[in-house]
Amino acid sequence: MRIRKGFTLIKLIITLAILTIVIGAISGLFTYSLRVYNKGEKLSQVQFDVRMASDYVIKEVRNTEKISLTDDTLSNRLDLSALQARYPSVKKVEFEVKFFGANYLLAFKIDGSDSNSQNDYSVSSEIILNNITNAFVGTGETLYYD
């Protein structure tokens, strides 16, 4: 008598069920990984824009000789629109001129976010203004300088 080798219907159904579960788990893991990657990519872009905007402010203002939060007759200007033109993730900027010891300081805070406002990032910093001998202390969202 010959023995037939092969799959029974029950074995085939069980195999397909296990395969379906494994493929479902793998696709769920892939979807989750893709979502986490996209969120990380967006946060990375926001962080990049905010940090680069901070570096730009520091580079522009570090050796300035005149600075003001109100005097729009000075030739250069930094505000939200100027920073957003270069770094689109920037959403808010605040400047504060302070007197500390014998020097003036420019403190600033730059806030950024992605288009869905789900990835927020903020940078605060201070710059010693070595070339400034006279400035008005105050806060504002626009900085004028020469």
Side-chain angles (χ1 to χ4, degrees), residues 74-143:
L74 298 176
S75 59
N76 298 305
R77 171 185 171 161
L78 275 176
D79 61 3
L80 180 60
S81 62
L83 292 176
Q84 276 183 331
R86 292 175 179 265
Y87 312 105
S89 297
V90 173
K91 302 299 179 200
K92 185 177 180 184
V93 62
E94 298 171 352
F95 297 104
E96 180 181 6
V97 176
K98 302 190 249 187
F99 191 70
F100 182 74
N103 295 317
Y104 285 94
L105 295 177
L106 174 67
F108 64 90
K109 181 179 178 188
I110 300 174
D111 296 328
S113 182
D114 63 2
S115 58
N116 299 332
S117 296
Q118 293 179 347
N119 295 302
D120 298 330
Y121 188 72
S122 180
V123 168
S124 298
S125 188
E126 292 181 339
I127 307 166
I128 295 176
L129 302 171
N130 292 324
N131 297 334
I132 303 294
T133 56
N134 188 13
F136 290 104
V137 174
T139 61
E141 294 181 356
T142 304
L143 181 70

Side-chain angles (χ1 to χ4, degrees), residues 45-103:
Q45 183 62 46
V46 171
Q47 289 175 340
F48 176 81
D49 280 356
V50 171
R51 287 179 180 167
M52 292 305 292
S54 174
D55 288 347
Y56 179 74
V57 169
I58 291 169
K59 185 183 97 181
E60 286 292 307
V61 176
R62 178 168 302 217
N63 294 316
T64 190
E65 294 181 5
K66 293 180 184 176
I67 195 164
S68 176
L69 297 168
T70 57
D71 185 4
D72 61 355
T73 62
L74 298 176
S75 59
N76 298 305
R77 171 185 171 161
L78 275 176
D79 61 3
L80 180 60
S81 62
L83 292 176
Q84 276 183 331
R86 292 175 179 265
Y87 312 105
S89 297
V90 173
K91 302 299 179 200
K92 185 177 180 184
V93 62
E94 298 171 352
F95 297 104
E96 180 181 6
V97 176
K98 302 190 249 187
F99 191 70
F100 182 74
N103 295 317

Side-chain angles (χ1 to χ4, degrees), residues 19-56:
L19 188 60
T20 303
I21 291 170
V22 169
I23 289 175
I26 290 172
S27 68
L29 182 63
F30 177 75
T31 304
Y32 173 75
S33 298
L34 188 60
R35 207 172 332 127
V36 168
Y37 172 79
N38 286 334
K39 182 177 173 88
E41 188 71 24
K42 288 178 183 177
L43 179 58
S44 176
Q45 183 62 46
V46 171
Q47 289 175 340
F48 176 81
D49 280 356
V50 171
R51 287 179 180 167
M52 292 305 292
S54 174
D55 288 347
Y56 179 74

